[in-house]
Amino acid sequence: MSQETIRFQHTPYDGSSHPFTVGLKPISEGEWLEPDAFLVPHLAEKDRLVSERRDAVFRAEDGTEEAQQEVLALIVENLNRYHSKTHKFVANRVVIAGRGPVVDLSSKPALLTAARLVQEDLVLMRPGPDGYRLAAASLSFPSSWSLAEKFSKSMSAIHETVPGFNGKRMGVMVARLFDNLKVGQYVCRFNWSIYPDDELYNPKPHRIDLRDSDSVLSRLFLRVERQTLRRLPGSGDIIFTIKIHHDPLRALEAHPDREQLAGQLRTQLMVLDPDQLRYKGLANARDELARALSELFTSEAGVM
């Protein structure tokens, strides 16, 4: 499978979900993890980040060791059952993608070892007096947030800058969902943003300004987060996974569904309020981007 064939694997901006909503949907056990054609380069980037800035991409509270080991065991079991084409298990080692990295499953910390097997970042959420908190994480590919700043914080504190999260509805809904998530349930949601580059490690807030700019679509990337939740049967903690997909906006021009995708993306952009636009770094870019997207669903747009 080439990289081009998996462009636009997920398109949550197509009307199937909406920004700043919970939007959780059930998935099967076999859909929990999602190795794709970028598996080897993404894992290589994780290894580089761990080597060069470990404290920035991995943190764990004392007392999370058993839960970390539980996450590793569940990931190994899932990969062995559903993804044997990409992950070959030999004794206590995993050979990835035939000629990719070899991971020793006895390496510690266990959560970091688990994260070296998959493209997903892994975040361990643990219940406490103030609700669920971020108790451990291997976070190599953040989307405008810092693990150092969010580590050990509660859900409400983690999302304090997200418009509307700590209002009367969204935060309460998320807390209820976390409390009610049962062992054996798998749920998934999507989030999308627009970035000026396709860097995987993106911890700083970004701002896009397209004024006085030509070739708007050629400069930007759609960054889609596929997020999943499942409860650990032993510890009762929740493992939250985040998988990053990058699609160059210019690739929409050749997409067979470009009119529908561009139209729906424009619609979602136009309903964002000022706070939401600022949060997404689009306050100075929305109108120009909407104009460029409109050109993709005019009568002659996209003709190659």
Side-chain angles (χ1 to χ4, degrees), residues 87-207:
H87 293 73
K88 304 297 183 184
F89 293 82
V90 181
N92 206 38
R93 295 177 181 272
V94 184
V95 181
I96 299 172
R99 51 191 175 84
V102 178
V103 177
D104 183 348
L105 297 179
S106 65
S107 299
K108 303 295 182 183
L111 190 67
L112 187 56
T113 299
R116 294 185 61 222
L117 299 172
V118 293
Q119 288 163 267
E120 286 83 356
D121 281 334
L122 306 175
V123 180
L124 187 71
M125 303 298 296
R126 174 159 287 184
D130 297 324
Y132 281 81
R133 71 180 186 280
L134 196 166
S138 175
L139 184 79
S140 295
F141 307 146
S143 298
S144 299
W145 64 284
S146 164
L147 178 57
E149 294 176 359
K150 307 296 186 181
F151 180 59
S152 283
K153 289 188 176 181
S154 66
M155 287 284 290
S156 60
I158 289 171
H159 292 88
E160 65 182 355
T161 61
V162 179
F165 186 90
N166 288 325
K168 294 182 178 179
R169 187 178 180 188
M170 189 173 181
V172 173
M173 287 180 62
V174 170
R176 187 178 300 123
L177 285 164
F178 270 59
D179 287 337
N180 294 335
L181 187 66
K182 294 179 173 58
V183 172
Q185 281 186 300
Y186 299 78
V187 293
C188 173
R189 71 179 297 271
F190 291 92
N191 186 30
W192 64 266
S193 300
I194 295 175
Y195 274 69
D197 57 56
D198 61 351
E199 293 293 326
L200 289 165
Y201 181 69
N202 237 313
K204 296 181 179 180
H206 69 285
R207 184 173 66 90

